[in-house]
């Protein structure tokens, strides 16, 4: 089988590489010729564990190629995936579909023979029908079907998520298109992955509903964490206590500085707008969006509190900048609110992130960039953990204490235990648990 992936960003690249690992011939297309040149030179433009090897192996096997020539890549393909960006449109939060629509037109001009056009990008409900309309208008005699096949890939574990998903959603009314999709996902049928066949609209909405639900779950536990702080309860015990109820489930109940990344902020906002336009307001998700925004903005206040109420003239070491570990992605990362707020309050920031500093340098100003966690802590008045990279989980606390001017740690990811930090002589403030070491 032959497929084409339009858009070689995060979703297109990971999905393309994984399909080629299934034994399918995959051509990944992108308009950005510099990106295609890099990929053809064996360079991977994003940081994703395992991706470099997967791409290299499948390129060597001749199953994965990269090109800027969309028309050539589409001719003869059994399926063409649209995996271009759908950023939030400036001003109104609606997903910007200009790239999707442009891709649909170009695909329409190039198809020859029956082709399944698959939307992989997260797109608002109704986009699949619109793509079908655009293609039919551009190529009235074109033989094609449109399918919605949303991705559920987590950055940092995207390959595992693709190869062993909880489910695959395939939205189309066409039996012919279903047969093509069944063949593409055959390796997952063999491992008994639930594959749900739905209508186009249902598949599109399922993606938004899944991400909005997960964002809601995180926001719920974040609010419970705040309540724990007021009432002297421990949020981890509460999370475990509720998570053991099979109806609730233990995952996505880890409190933190608020969710970020390329999906949750954008998808929750898009669901809110879609629901409002449809006359069925999604009030819970509206609240989630608002609470999460405020949470990220309010995080710096915790650091001020740990520093006695002011950080003016003080130096703060910030460990971790990306929205989560194992990625270099800075999109909507809490650090983008926290660092400027600390600076506005008069602090000097020394920061370190294992993979995110290249991106962070473009987004944050006047930061002293450090080569490791210890260099960041050298001479700082407090250290804050903003992203839970593994290398921050086992810091040499004696060494850290020797480097810091004051032994103050604000752990926004709860990767240390209050009792061990107290024993190590730290003043330690975390999320949803009583602070320790402060008089
Ligand atoms: C998410 C979805 O999980 C994935 O299925 C989807 O298709 C794309 O969006 P991703 O954005 O890569 O994936 O990251 P995820 O691991 O889901 O985390 C999102 C954000 O929530 C991060 O900022 C993370 O720190 C935060 N989070 C997650 C919490 O604060 N607590 C949790 O318990 C889990």
């Amino acid at each position: 089988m032959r497929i084409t992936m339009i858009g070689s960003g995060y979703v297109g690249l990971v999905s393309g590489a994984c399909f080629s690992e299934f034994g399918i011939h995959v051509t990944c297309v992108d308009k950005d010729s510099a990106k295609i040149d890099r990929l053809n030179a064996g360079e991977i433009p994003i940081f994703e564990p395992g991706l470099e090897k997967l791409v290299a192996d499948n390129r060597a096997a001749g199953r994965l190629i990269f090109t800027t020539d969309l028309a050539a890549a589409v001719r003869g393909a059994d399926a063409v995936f649209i995996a271009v960006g759908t950023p939030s449109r400036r001003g109104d939060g609606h997903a910007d579909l200009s790239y999707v629509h442009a891709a649909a037109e170009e695909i329409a001009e190039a198809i020859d023979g029956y082709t399944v056009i698959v939307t992989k990008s997260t797109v608002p409900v109704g986009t699949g029908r619109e793509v079908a309309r655009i293609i039919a208008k551009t190529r009235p005699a074109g033989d094609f079907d449109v399918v919605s096949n949303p991705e559920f890939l987590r950055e940092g574990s995207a390959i595992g998520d693709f190869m062993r998903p909880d489910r695959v959603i395939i939205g189309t009314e066409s039996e012919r298109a279903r047969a093509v999709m069944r063949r593409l996902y055959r390796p997952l049928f063999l491992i008994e992955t639930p594959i749900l066949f739905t209508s186009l609209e249902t598949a599109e909405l399922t993606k938004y509903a899944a991400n909005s639900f997960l964002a809601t779950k995180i926001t719920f536990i974040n609010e419970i964490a705040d309540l724990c702080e007021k009432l002297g309860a421990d949020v981890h015990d509460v999370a475990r206590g509720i998570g053991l109820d099979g109806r609730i489930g233990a995952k996505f109940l880890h409190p933190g500085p608020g969710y970020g990344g390329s999906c949750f902020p954008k998808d929750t906002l898009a669901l809110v707008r879609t629901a409002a336009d449809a006359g069925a307001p999604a009030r819970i998700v509206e609240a989630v969006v608002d609470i999460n925004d405020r949470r990220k903005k309010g995080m710096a206040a915790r650091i001020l509190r740990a520093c006695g109420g002011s950080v003016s003239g003080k130096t703060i070491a910030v460990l971790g900048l990306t929205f989560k570990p194992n990625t270099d992605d800075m999109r909507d990362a809490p650090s983008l609110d926290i660092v400027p707020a600390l600076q506005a309050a008069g602090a000097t920031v020394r920061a370190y992130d294992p993979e995110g500093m290249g991106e962070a340098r473009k987004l944050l100003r006047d930061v002293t960039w450090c080569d490791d966690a210890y260099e960041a802590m050298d001479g700082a008045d407090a250290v804050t953990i903003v992203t839970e990279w593994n290398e921050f989980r086992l810091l040499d606390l004696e060494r850290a204490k020797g480097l810091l001017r004051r032994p103050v740690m604000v752990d926004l990811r709860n990767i240390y235990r209050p009792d061990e930090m107290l024993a190590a002589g730290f003043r330690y403030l975390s999320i949803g648990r009583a602070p320790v070491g402060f008089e």
Side-chain angles (χ1 to χ4, degrees):
M1 287 188 91
R2 287 189 178 277
I3 65 167
T4 299
M5 212 36 89
I6 312 291
S8 300
Y10 192 83
V11 172
L13 192 53
V14 171
S15 307
C18 290
F19 273 127
S20 68
E21 182 71 11
F22 286 174
I24 295 163
H25 281 85
V26 180
T27 306
C28 290
V29 181
D30 207 288
K31 279 196 169 1
D32 181 346
S33 57
K35 186 188 275 181
I36 293 297
D37 288 346
R38 283 178 70 187
L39 286 162
N40 277 325
E43 262 182 68
I44 304 294
I46 51 167
F47 175 77
E48 179 63 35
L51 186 59
E52 196 166 342
K53 183 170 183 325
L54 201 67
V55 169
D57 290 353
N58 285 289
R59 278 185 71 220
R63 282 192 299 262
L64 180 61
I65 56 173
F66 298 102
T67 178
T68 53
D69 188 347
L70 183 143
V74 166
R75 274 193 296 274
D78 295 292
V80 178
F81 285 75
I82 301 178
V84 297
T86 54
S88 286
R89 207 159 60 190
R90 228 168 248 287
D92 64 5
H94 275 289
D96 179 352
L97 293 176
S98 50
Y99 302 110
V100 173
H101 292 164
E105 271 178 36
E106 286 188 60
I107 293 166
E109 276 157 18
I111 48 175
D112 60 349
Y114 179 67
T115 314
V116 177
I117 319 292
V118 191
T119 54
K120 195 80 179 138
S121 311
T122 300
V123 289
V125 182
T127 305
R129 299 257 170 239
E130 180 61 13
V131 165
R133 204 191 54 74
I134 291 172
I135 298 175
K137 189 168 159 232
T138 316
R139 280 288 291 281
D143 189 12
F144 73 94
D145 279 307
V146 173
V147 171
S148 163
N149 173 218
E151 55 84 16
F152 297 97
L153 308 175
R154 281 166 305 168
E155 293 185 19
S157 41
I159 293 169
D161 285 350
F162 192 97
M163 297 292 187
R164 289 174 301 280
D166 289 333
R167 80 308 205 181
V168 173
I169 310 276
I170 295 171
T172 179
E173 280 85 34
S174 155
E175 191 41 57
R176 203 171 167 200
R178 277 189 209 138
V180 171
M181 296 305 286
R182 255 191 220 108
R183 277 176 64 207
L184 281 179
Y185 280 109
R186 192 174 144 73
L188 300 185
F189 275 98
L190 297 178
I191 57 168
E192 293 180 3
T193 305
I195 313 244
L196 265 69
F197 290 98
T198 70
S199 72
L200 258 178
E201 285 75 11
T202 304
E204 290 168 344
L205 183 57
T206 303
K207 171 64 196 266
Y208 281 109
N211 274 356
S212 297
F213 189 85
L214 292 170
T216 303
K217 210 171 169 190
I218 296 168
T219 304
F220 178 83
I221 203 66
N222 282 340
E223 283 203 320
I224 295 293
D226 292 352
L227 187 58
C228 285
E229 288 167 20
K230 300 279 183 212
L231 302 180
D234 181 316
V235 68
H236 291 297
D237 290 340
V238 175
R240 194 167 149 70
I242 63 172
L244 283 169
D245 184 328
R247 293 169 300 177
I248 296 175
K251 290 182 185 162
F252 274 66
L253 286 178
H254 194 85
Y259 60 78
S262 62
C263 287
F264 288 174
K266 175 169 74 71
D267 294 350
T268 45
L269 211 54
L271 182 75
V272 163
R273 298 290 185 257
T274 303
D277 288 354
R283 298 237 295 279
I284 293 175
V285 186
E286 279 173 25
V288 165
V289 170
D290 182 48
I291 295 165
N292 194 65
D293 280 350
R294 284 171 202 260
R295 183 166 191 86
K296 288 197 280 190
K297 292 197 173 73
M299 275 299 123
R302 288 174 188 253
I303 300 162
L304 264 69
R305 212 188 317 143
C307 291
S310 164
V311 290
S312 181
K314 292 182 178 159
T315 300
I316 307 296
V318 173
L319 303 187
L321 298 163
T322 51
F323 82 97
K324 69 173 200 177
N326 295 326
T327 175
D328 57 358
D329 200 333
M330 288 290 299
R331 280 176 284 181
D332 281 301
S335 65
L336 296 177
D337 285 309
I338 296 168
V339 170
L342 290 173
Q343 291 169 328
T348 300
V349 171
R350 296 171 67 79
Y352 166 68
D353 186 282
E355 295 291 339
M357 291 202 292
E359 274 304 298
R361 273 176 216 269
K362 299 180 202 158
L363 302 166
L364 296 168
R365 311 223 163 280
D366 303 324
V367 170
T368 306
W369 303 103
C370 300
D371 286 335
D372 64 29
Y374 299 101
E375 191 189 324
M377 287 188 279
D378 195 359
D381 294 271
V383 55
T384 179
I385 295 172
V386 178
T387 316
E388 68 279 34
W389 285 91
N390 272 342
E391 65 180 78
F392 304 147
R393 290 177 189 270
L394 210 65
L395 291 171
D396 177 342
L397 295 177
E398 273 311 304
R399 186 172 166 208
K401 225 165 52 174
L403 290 168
L404 289 163
R405 244 186 266 167
R406 291 178 188 82
V408 177
M409 181 187 279
V410 181
D411 179 1
L412 301 180
R413 298 290 185 167
N414 289 5
I415 59 177
Y416 287 94
R417 288 208 325 262
D419 56 346
E420 69 185 354
M421 294 309 286
L422 187 64
F426 272 80
R427 280 175 249 165
Y428 177 76
L429 188 87
S430 59
I431 305 272
R433 304 179 298 185
V436 294
F438 297 87
E439 288 82 50

